[in-house]
Each structure stands twice: as C-alpha cells, then as structure tokens.
Amino acid sequence: MASALVGVCVDPRINHELIRIQVRQRLERSGIRAERIYVLNEVGGNPGANFRNTVQLLARAGEPIVFCSVLHHDDCLSAQSGLRTDLAVAAQQMAAELSRANAHSPVLTGHIRTENNQLLWSDEPEWRYVPFTFGAGAPVSSSGRDVQVAHSQKPG
C-alpha cells in the first residue's frame, strides 16, 4: 500500500482528520494514489524521530512513500519559542531523510490556519472570494461617462 506522510506540530488545536481530508484532496488533484495518510506530530512540525521511525517502518514493510509534506501553522507556540525550523529547511530535512531510506517522493509545504484548520499549500494560490453583482447599473465607459446602448428594432 502506498503511503503519504504529513508532518504537523504537536499543537492540540490541529485537527488531524480535517488535515487528512485536505491532504487526500491534494493527492487527488495531483493524481497521486495513497491508501494511507500518516499525520505525524513533532514540535513545530519539524521532521524528527516520529518521521524517521515511520519512514523506517514503511521501508521494512515494503510500502512505498508517494507523498510527503511539512505543514506549519499560524499561532505556533513552538515558533514563538524559537523551536520551529524554517519551512524550507524542514522540507529539505524531510527529503534528506527519505533519500537515506532510499525512498523517493515529492515533499510539499503548506500552512494551516489554526482557527479553522484550513490548509493552504505553498505552491497553490490562495482561494479568494470576489463579489459579483448582477445588473448593478448602466454600463460605464473607461472615462466614467454613461454609455448609450442602441437597441435594434425588428423590421415591421
């Protein structure tokens, strides 16, 4: 069975099930099939013993790792205490650990909004809602003047 590994912080506000759902959606968008998604906790989301041991376990079991990610969240106590590694460095550490285990997988990064566990991938644009109005008034030219619209008439 193919697996995905996701590194997150130990913060109890991180909802693993919500993160797992959003990772599954990302896997589907990327065309990657993973039967198992492991959400791994470390202080600050830094790759550490939990990640290393899981990589070794999967290697011994002969299960391929097809996707990895490091996810940081806002309002992180580890970051405020200076214990969180920079996101790019954490991704490099994760890739190096995979290489040592002879596992080859993309390593993505992202950010979690702590208040609602929304996952924002670093390589995807953030979704924004833009208001759209229907018939908000008469057309206006680039000069700001009202535009007269000619109406065609049916012949008689």
Side-chain angles (χ1 to χ4, degrees):
M1 288 188 184
S3 298
L5 305 180
V6 181
V8 299
C9 186
V10 296
D11 193 307
R13 297 172 294 173
I14 303 298
N15 182 320
H16 288 207
E17 212 39 53
L18 290 177
I19 298 305
R20 190 173 280 112
I21 289 167
Q22 293 172 87
V23 169
R24 170 85 52 212
Q25 291 169 341
R26 174 59 193 253
L27 291 169
E28 289 173 3
R29 284 194 309 273
S30 301
I32 299 172
R33 183 179 164 96
E35 288 80 14
R36 298 182 186 183
I37 299 173
Y38 293 87
V39 180
L40 308 172
N41 290 28
E42 299 281 356
V43 170
N46 303 328
N50 194 358
F51 179 74
R52 279 190 304 279
N53 291 335
T54 304
V55 169
Q56 290 171 7
L57 171 70
L58 295 174
R60 286 184 186 144
E63 291 190 26
I65 299 168
V66 296
F67 179 87
C68 287
S69 66
V70 181
L71 305 175
H72 284 176
H73 68 107
D74 56 2
D75 194 30
C76 180
L77 298 176
S78 300
Q80 294 168 16
S81 300
L83 299 173
R84 185 170 76 180
T85 305
D86 181 68
L87 193 57
V89 172
Q92 289 173 347
Q93 291 171 344
M94 190 175 271
E97 189 63 42
L98 288 169
S99 181
R100 279 191 285 281
N102 202 25
H104 306 286
S105 155
V107 178
L108 277 65
T109 59
H111 298 275
I112 300 168
R113 288 188 178 149
T114 307
E115 67 181 342
N116 60 10
N117 283 269
Q118 181 186 13
L119 174 50
L120 306 168
W121 295 100
S122 299
D123 66 339
E124 290 184 338
E126 184 176 346
W127 287 89
R128 296 195 187 278
Y129 292 99
V130 179
F132 180 80
T133 58
F134 293 93
V140 177
S141 70
S142 60
S143 66
R145 296 189 185 117
D146 288 343
V147 176
Q148 298 297 320
V149 179
H151 298 284
S152 60
Q153 295 179 356
K154 279 184 155 178

